[in-house]
Amino acid sequence: MQRRQVLLGATAALSGLTGCIAPFTSDGSLREVNVELRNTDDRARTFHLALETESGVLDWDSYRVDGGVDQRVTMTPDEDISPVALHGAVEDFAGGVEILGVNNLDEDYCLRFHFWYAHPSDERPQLAQVADIEC
């Protein structure tokens, strides 16, 4: 199956993105974007997310997550869009993940991300794409 052969690349940026991202074409459609917000701190934090498409950045949404809690957020596009990146911010961290490797899909797909307030390996915020496009 083609979708199992696709490896999604992800690049995390600590403060914004530079340069242009080329749009792509695909026969498949993005069904939904799932983001696991993980607040490993003992205080509540507000996470901000925005999906960038080839037409521009969609509205930013904010999610307050209690301390020590994981919360799953699902973003469902209203129309057929070509995703370019997911942007996120929490406290003084702002970053983004480019969405790569979905331009040759001929079937619908979903995107999954993890957004940690403090990642276990380095205790800093991290936004990363999961290398799986199954819905």
Side-chain angles (χ1 to χ4, degrees):
M1 178 178 248
Q2 183 182 9
R3 95 174 9 171
R4 289 198 178 108
Q5 296 172 353
V6 174
L7 177 62
L8 297 178
T11 305
L14 290 178
S15 58
L17 296 173
T18 59
C20 296
I21 300 171
F24 63 85
T25 58
S26 172
D27 291 333
S29 296
L30 176 62
R31 288 185 28 201
E32 62 185 31
V33 176
N34 294 301
V35 183
E36 181 182 328
L37 304 174
R38 182 171 289 174
N39 183 6
T40 56
D41 196 42
D42 57 356
R43 292 185 7 212
R45 302 285 176 190
T46 301
F47 292 78
H48 309 279
L49 296 171
L51 185 63
E52 181 178 355
T53 71
E54 63 183 5
S55 301
V57 176
L58 302 180
D59 291 335
W60 284 85
D61 292 314
S62 298
Y63 305 92
R64 187 148 179 90
V65 180
D66 290 332
V69 172
D70 295 349
Q71 179 178 328
R72 183 176 176 179
V73 172
T74 300
M75 304 163 76
T76 306
D78 292 335
E79 57 190 67
D80 188 17
I81 61 167
S82 296
V84 174
L86 179 72
H87 302 280
V90 62
E91 296 296 317
D92 60 352
F93 169 85
V97 177
E98 293 179 32
I99 300 169
L100 305 172
V102 294
N103 56 334
N104 294 322
L105 296 176
D106 58 1
E107 53 191 285
D108 292 351
Y109 59 95
C110 295
L111 297 172
R112 296 188 320 154
F113 297 86
H114 289 154
F115 191 3
W116 293 275
Y117 172 70
H119 190 271
S121 66
D122 60 13
E123 298 183 4
R124 296 182 310 182
Q126 186 179 73
L127 177 59
Q129 186 172 359
V130 177
D132 179 9
I133 57 171
E134 298 276 337
C135 292

